[in-house]
Amino acid sequence: MGDTVTRPTGISVVRSVTGAVVGPLGVVVVVASLVAAAGSLGLVSYLDRHRGSAGATWFMATLSVQALAAGAYGVGLLVFDPALRAHAEALTWLGVVWLGPLFLVFALEYTGRRGVVRSRPFRALLSVPAGATLLALTHPFHA
């Protein structure tokens, strides 16, 4: 699968057959990403009882795309096949591009500014993450 290489610093790392090096810091990043995804999903399940409250549904959506981004990033770091990594990267971008807009919708709903969310200019603003979504979903084909 791979061979162990000892760096001049004395830290042993594993070199995979593709040449990628996975060291202690890499393991920490992968574990942190996956724990962040699990924590976000746990919070979504906890908040489910507040669905229908001001902004709660949008906050759950925000946490869900955060979990998608963190989880896909963690999985992408573990995958060495370029095609699978491209798909994981596309899912990461999908979560990242919607994180800000969904949090903005949550904040506007929570503070009673629903009219702003339903306005034409705001909907036009959502065309940016919608376009980025199309790019992210087609990323494996034009990367």
Side-chain angles (χ1 to χ4, degrees):
M1 177 105 187
D3 49 328
T4 303
V5 178
T6 302
R7 294 217 169 147
T9 58
I11 297 175
S12 294
V13 294
V14 176
R15 183 179 302 275
S16 73
V17 289
T18 61
V21 177
V22 180
L25 183 59
V27 172
V28 169
V29 171
V30 169
V31 169
S33 295
L34 297 177
V35 167
S40 294
L41 290 177
L43 189 52
V44 167
S45 70
Y46 174 78
L47 291 173
D48 190 46
R49 66 185 81 172
H50 298 288
R51 187 183 298 268
S53 299
T57 303
W58 288 109
F59 190 54
M60 290 168 50
T62 302
L63 290 172
S64 296
V65 297
Q66 178 177 305
L68 175 67
Y73 182 71
V75 169
L77 290 174
L78 295 173
V79 175
F80 294 111
D81 178 46
L84 291 176
R85 183 173 278 207
H87 288 291
E89 186 176 322
L91 288 176
T92 301
W93 277 108
L94 185 66
V96 168
V97 299
W98 282 103
L99 192 58
L102 287 176
F103 190 79
L104 180 59
V105 172
F106 154 70
L108 291 170
E109 288 269 339
Y110 186 74
T111 57
R113 295 178 175 92
R114 289 188 177 142
V116 174
V117 175
R118 294 187 179 120
S119 70
R120 259 197 187 133
F122 189 81
R123 290 184 182 188
L125 181 69
L126 293 181
S127 66
V128 174
T133 298
L134 291 175
L135 287 173
L137 293 177
T138 59
H139 170 70
F141 304 108
H142 58 75

